[in-house]
């Protein structure tokens, strides 16, 4: 790791917190090499107290002090933030954006400058370093830029590369996917309680069922269909369900 390498975060919310935690625990960066900005005083104080990184209220300062900048702000304020920092954009910047539904071309138009950019769709299991992130490189992003972004996201889980045109599909599948899984888990736990199980018992059964099934799917050589068939005996309870 180069001693002068730094990384700046614009936004200090949940996803930035997850990434910074993963980066520090992996040893990829030290606290002195990480910057974060946020308008919210509590968010800045939390980030400083928890990680000891460099904190500022100014988004522009993050751009001035870091060549690699990760935008971790809500999509609805992304254009406002880009307008704020437009004058600070340099040719040596690499922008990494995790703003959902915000194409790289829209970012380029907002800053009115062609620089290397990479768009990322992470998901919430990144909060426990079990996420999956899809990365799409912009036209000026080199292999070195891409590997920089991938190493950052690898700190909170797995990564895949996709064409940016497929980002909406990724968002629906893995970005929103945890919400679907949690709702399915809710329904299963409620059903278990409805037939007499204690709620905590039902919830524990459901959570471990999903954890175990997910690990089995990841580690097994069998297809999902084959794994399903292993549980589904003809005329049995799974088939009936």
């Amino acid at each position: 790791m180069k001693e002068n390498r730094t990384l700046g975060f614009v936004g200090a919310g949940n996803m930035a917190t997850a990434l910074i935690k993963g980066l520090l625990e992996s040893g990829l960066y030290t606290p002195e090499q990480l910057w974060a900005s946020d308008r919210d005083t509590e968010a800045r104080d939390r980030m400083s107290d928890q990680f000891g990184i460099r904190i500022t209220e100014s988004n522009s300062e993050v751009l001035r002090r870091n060549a690699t900048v990760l935008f971790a702000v809500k999509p609805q304020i992304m254009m406002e933030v880009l307008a704020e920092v437009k004058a600070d954009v340099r040719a040596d910047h690499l922008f990494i954006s995790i703003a959902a539904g915000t194409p790289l071309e829209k970012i380029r138009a907002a800053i009115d400058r062609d620089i290397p950019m990479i768009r990322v769709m992470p998901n919430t299991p990144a909060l426990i370093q079990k996420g999956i992130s899809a990365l799409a490189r912009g036209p000026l992003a080199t292999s070195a830029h891409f590997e920089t972004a991938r190493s950052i996201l690898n700190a909170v889980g797995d990564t895949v590369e996709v064409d940016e045109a497929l980002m909406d599909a990724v968002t629906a599948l893995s970005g929103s996917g945890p919400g679907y899984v949690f709702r399915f888990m809710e329904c299963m736990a409620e059903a278990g309680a409805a037939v007499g199980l204690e709620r905590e018992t039902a919830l524990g059964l459901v959570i471990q069922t999903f954890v175990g099934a997910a690990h089995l799917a990841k580690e097994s050589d069998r297809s999902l269909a084959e794994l399903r068939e292993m549980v589904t005996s003809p005329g049995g309870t799974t088939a009936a369900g």
Side-chain angles (χ1 to χ4, degrees):
M1 180 176 64
K2 295 181 180 179
E3 290 303 317
N4 63 349
R5 183 179 66 172
T6 63
L7 171 63
F9 287 81
V10 174
N14 287 335
M15 198 56 68
T17 299
L19 284 164
I20 289 168
K21 180 175 184 287
L23 291 169
L24 293 174
E25 290 183 353
S26 70
L28 194 62
Y29 288 85
T30 65
E32 293 75 19
Q33 293 173 306
L34 297 176
W35 283 79
S37 62
D38 202 287
R39 295 174 181 174
D40 184 68
T41 303
E42 290 185 6
R44 296 197 305 273
D45 289 345
R46 184 191 68 248
M47 195 71 79
S48 178
D49 293 342
Q50 186 173 355
F51 301 119
I53 67 171
R54 301 176 187 271
I55 300 297
T56 177
E57 185 179 1
S58 169
N59 296 329
S60 290
E61 185 174 8
V62 168
L63 267 71
R64 289 195 297 269
R65 293 184 178 272
N66 299 275
T68 303
V69 179
L70 193 149
F71 288 83
V73 299
K74 295 184 183 301
Q76 56 267 34
I77 67 167
M78 183 65 167
M79 292 301 106
E80 177 185 343
V81 169
L82 290 172
E84 176 188 342
V85 302
K86 178 179 178 180
D88 302 291
V89 179
R90 306 188 305 267
D92 68 327
H93 270 133
L94 166 62
F95 279 11
I96 303 170
S97 170
I98 64 172
T102 307
L104 293 178
E105 175 55 34
K106 190 172 181 180
I107 296 174
R108 193 213 65 78
I111 61 174
D112 194 25
R113 188 159 187 172
D114 290 311
I115 62 168
M117 292 185 287
I118 294 174
R119 181 178 171 188
V120 181
M121 183 68 242
N123 63 5
T124 54
L127 294 170
I128 57 165
Q129 285 73 58
K130 296 291 184 182
I132 180 74
S133 301
L135 286 72
R137 65 179 85 191
L140 296 184
T142 65
S143 294
H145 292 133
F146 184 79
E147 287 309 314
T148 295
R150 171 166 269 174
S151 68
I152 293 167
L153 275 301
N154 276 341
V156 293
D158 295 336
T159 55
V160 297
E161 182 177 7
V162 300
D163 290 333
E164 191 184 3
L166 295 173
M167 270 300 191
D168 285 348
V170 170
T171 301
L173 187 62
S174 61
S176 301
Y180 310 145
V181 174
F182 296 144
R183 180 55 183 148
F184 189 27
M185 293 172 73
E186 274 187 299
C187 292
M188 289 181 67
E190 290 167 3
V195 295
L197 288 169
E198 293 289 337
R199 289 192 176 274
E200 287 302 312
T201 300
L203 182 60
L205 287 166
V206 169
I207 290 174
Q208 190 54 40
T209 295
F210 273 77
V211 169
H215 277 287
L216 181 58
K218 185 173 183 178
E219 297 175 15
S220 176
D221 292 331
R222 298 175 183 267
S223 68
L224 293 177
E226 289 174 316
L227 292 172
R228 172 177 51 78
E229 290 167 0
M230 286 172 58
V231 190
T232 314
S233 302
T237 56
T238 305

